[in-house]
DNA sequence: ACTAATGATTGACT
DNA sequence: AGTCAATCATTAGT
């Protein structure tokens, strides 16, 4: 019987239903002094339950009173904890972020293309790289160059203004939500941790939007780039002197017209072209020579004569000795391709 | 306008 | 990675 009474009082304490229905509340309280905390919680819960039935003014007043209640912080934290353990733990596990890598890739590309990052340096560096690939002297093609640069700058500007907009919207929205949640945390169990988490979610959403922006910017740059790279085909023939230098090397190394990396660099420097242009030239030359040796015979003889004369003048100056530097020294370099097409 | 020459690109190969 | 072979696209000579 006594157990039942305690149970009853406990229930009263927790559910807080009706002082009237359960008889003399004060008497009960006196009987169970030890049960006071439950009594308090019961009061609070009861008041919360009752709040919906009241008018707005009354409710406001009651809300205020509740907020000032000495048990409020404890109840709040308990409710937060319960919530944390149930809903948030499930949700929290779900959204881990794997698309981080992609955004890194996009960032890197934008940086490399000079869209993001420092203002002039990267952009001009990229443009210079393209110019180098385009070949020709640096002054040539500066028109297309500035065109490219202008378009890139345009993309850059759009990108940055959009990014700024997104960032502003993000921070505005975040602030709004934070204020709202803080406000609501007076009436709902919302812990600072939960607010923090919400902020995280918002940021993730916005960064996924940003990723779309980055992606489309990348696409725009790629299109611009490919268009510009097509313009690379607007080539210039190398100047006479450069062709001469290249031909000289080719015919004086006809037995093995494969310049080493160092030789290529030197030739590139002499001809004021890039190493890859030297490689292109030798690639073209070898194949075209091989295809039609007869056609190049005259040219071959001409350059062989030249190198022979040079060698002669060198050796006469050095009184004698054959120079080890010239593989084909002392003779007309005969075409050394075998019938099967190899050297 | 036509054509040969030529520098660059691309894909396959080693 | 370097090269070959085919091809493209432009330049230059006619």
């Amino acid at each position: 019987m006594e157990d039942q009474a305690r149970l009853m009082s406990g229930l009263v304490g927790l559910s807080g239903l009706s002082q009237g229905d359960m008889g003399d509340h004060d008497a009960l309280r006196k009987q169970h002094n030890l049960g006071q905390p439950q009594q308090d919680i019961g009061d609070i819960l009861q008041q919360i339950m009752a709040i919906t039935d009241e008018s707005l003014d009354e409710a406001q007043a009651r809300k205020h009173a509740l907020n000032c209640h000495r048990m409020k912080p404890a109840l709040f934290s308990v409710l937060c904890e319960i919530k944390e353990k149930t809903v948030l733990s499930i949700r929290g596990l779900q959204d881990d972020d794997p698309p981080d890598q992609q955004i890194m890739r996009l960032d890197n590309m934008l940086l490399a293309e000079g869209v993001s990052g420092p203002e002039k340096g990267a952009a001009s560096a990229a443009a210079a790289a393209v110019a180098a690939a385009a070949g020709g002297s640096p002054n040539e093609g500066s028109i297309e160059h500035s065109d490219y640069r202008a378009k890139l700058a345009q993309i850059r500007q759009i990108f940055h203004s959009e990014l700024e907009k997104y960032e502003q919207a993000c921070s505005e929205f975040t602030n709004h939500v934070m204020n709202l949640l803080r406000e609501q945390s007076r009436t709902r169990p919302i812990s600072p941790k939960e607010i923090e988490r919400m902020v995280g979610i918002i940021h993730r959403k916005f960064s996924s939007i940003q990723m779309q922006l980055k992606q489309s910017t990348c696409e725009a740059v790629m299109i611009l780039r490919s268009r510009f790279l097509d313009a690379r085909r607007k080539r210039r023939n190398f100047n006479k002197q450069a062709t001469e230098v290249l031909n000289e090397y080719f015919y004086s190394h006809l037995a093995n017209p494969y310049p080493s990396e160092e030789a290529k660099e030197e030739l590139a420097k002499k001809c004021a072209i890039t190493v890859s242009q030297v490689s292109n030239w030798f690639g073209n030359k070898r194949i075209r020579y091989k295809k039609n040796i007869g056609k190049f015979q005259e040219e071959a003889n001409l350059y062989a004569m030249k190198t022979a004369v040079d060698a002669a003048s060198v050796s006469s100056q050095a009184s004698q000795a054959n120079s080890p530097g010239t593989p084909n020294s002392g003779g007309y370099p005969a075409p050394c391709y075998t019938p099967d097409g190899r050297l």
Side-chain angles (χ1 to χ4, degrees):
Chain A
M1 276 305 260
E2 208 186 87
D3 282 4
Q4 210 171 15
R6 191 174 291 163
L7 193 69
M8 288 295 277
S9 85
L11 275 174
V12 170
L14 281 172
S15 67
L17 286 173
S18 70
Q19 281 126 329
D21 293 356
M22 296 305 275
D24 189 355
H25 202 238
D26 281 330
L28 267 172
R29 191 183 286 169
K30 272 169 201 156
Q31 269 178 9
H32 302 280
N33 275 338
L34 292 172
Q36 177 128 31
Q38 279 136 310
Q39 208 71 56
D40 280 326
I41 294 168
D43 279 347
I44 295 167
L45 287 174
Q46 187 203 345
Q47 286 171 34
I48 292 169
M49 303 287 266
I51 220 164
T52 49
D53 297 333
E54 294 169 2
S55 76
L56 206 61
D57 284 345
E58 277 174 330
Q60 283 295 342
R62 180 68 58 127
K63 210 170 89 182
H64 180 71
L66 279 168
N67 272 330
C68 297
H69 197 284
R70 65 191 177 86
M71 289 301 285
K72 190 247 174 183
L75 186 58
F76 181 82
S77 72
V78 166
L79 286 171
C80 281
E81 210 173 297
I82 291 165
K83 196 175 168 190
E84 188 81 18
K85 275 184 188 153
T86 53
V87 189
L88 291 175
S89 60
I90 297 161
R91 204 194 308 166
L93 284 173
Q94 281 173 342
D95 31 34
D96 276 323
D97 32 293
D100 224 33
Q101 261 195 318
Q102 203 182 350
I103 211 160
M104 280 239 304
R105 245 187 37 229
L106 290 172
D107 275 340
N108 285 340
M109 188 190 153
L110 288 172
L111 204 65
E113 293 297 334
V115 176
S116 59
E119 179 62 55
K120 275 274 168 179
S124 62
V130 175
S137 60
N139 321 338
E140 306 277 1
S142 61
I143 301 139
E144 293 125 90
H145 233 183
S146 58
D147 205 35
Y148 176 82
R149 216 142 49 183
K151 293 238 166 73
L152 193 69
Q154 210 175 335
I155 290 172
R156 194 187 154 85
Q157 201 202 329
I158 291 166
F159 173 73
H160 275 109
S161 75
E162 287 296 307
L163 202 65
E164 208 171 302
K165 265 189 234 164
Y166 284 149
E167 253 150 31
Q168 200 183 337
C170 180
S171 76
E172 263 172 33
F173 188 67
T174 306
N175 275 337
H176 180 72
V177 170
M178 262 167 71
N179 287 335
L180 208 66
L181 289 178
R182 271 202 209 111
E183 180 72 28
Q184 289 195 352
S185 76
R186 295 204 287 178
T187 50
R188 288 206 295 141
I190 301 169
S191 64
K193 206 172 164 190
E194 196 185 338
I195 294 177
E196 207 174 289
R197 207 170 343 211
M198 188 59 82
V199 168
I201 289 166
I202 292 167
H203 280 175
R204 236 166 294 156
K205 292 281 177 211
F206 269 88
S207 83
S208 81
I209 295 170
Q210 272 190 10
M211 192 163 82
Q212 281 177 13
L213 169 70
K214 282 173 180 172
Q215 196 141 24
S216 55
T217 306
C218 274
E219 275 164 24
V221 172
M222 291 309 279
I223 289 165
L224 175 68
R225 209 178 149 78
S226 69
R227 216 178 286 164
F228 190 80
L229 289 183
D230 271 351
R232 277 193 298 190
R233 292 186 181 276
K234 275 181 192 145
R235 59 177 181 76
R236 289 273 128 105
N237 289 355
F238 298 155
N239 62 41
K240 231 178 173 183
Q241 191 224 329
T243 336
E244 209 148 296
V245 170
L246 293 167
N247 272 317
E248 243 166 65
Y249 188 98
F250 180 80
Y251 287 110
S252 67
H253 296 75
L254 203 52
N256 184 34
Y258 295 86
S260 64
E261 193 58 34
E262 296 84 60
K264 279 182 192 170
E265 275 166 27
E266 204 183 319
L267 286 167
K269 207 185 281 181
K270 270 191 197 166
C271 302
I273 57 178
T274 66
V275 173
S276 60
Q277 281 180 303
V278 173
S279 297
N280 284 340
W281 190 91
F282 272 89
N284 284 324
K285 191 72 183 180
R286 280 191 298 261
I287 203 85
R288 282 162 188 167
Y289 180 84
K290 195 184 85 175
K291 260 188 178 171
N292 195 348
I293 294 171
K295 198 178 76 183
F296 287 94
Q297 200 56 61
E298 206 179 318
E299 193 179 65
N301 290 340
L302 189 83
Y303 282 100
M305 192 107 79
K306 248 184 193 177
T307 48
V309 168
D310 285 353
S313 75
V314 166
S315 67
S316 73
Q317 271 180 352
S319 78
Q320 43 130 264
N322 35 5
S323 69
T326 43
N328 296 316
S329 57
Y332 287 71
C336 295
Y337 286 103
T338 56
D340 65 312
R342 299 299 303 185
L343 281 168

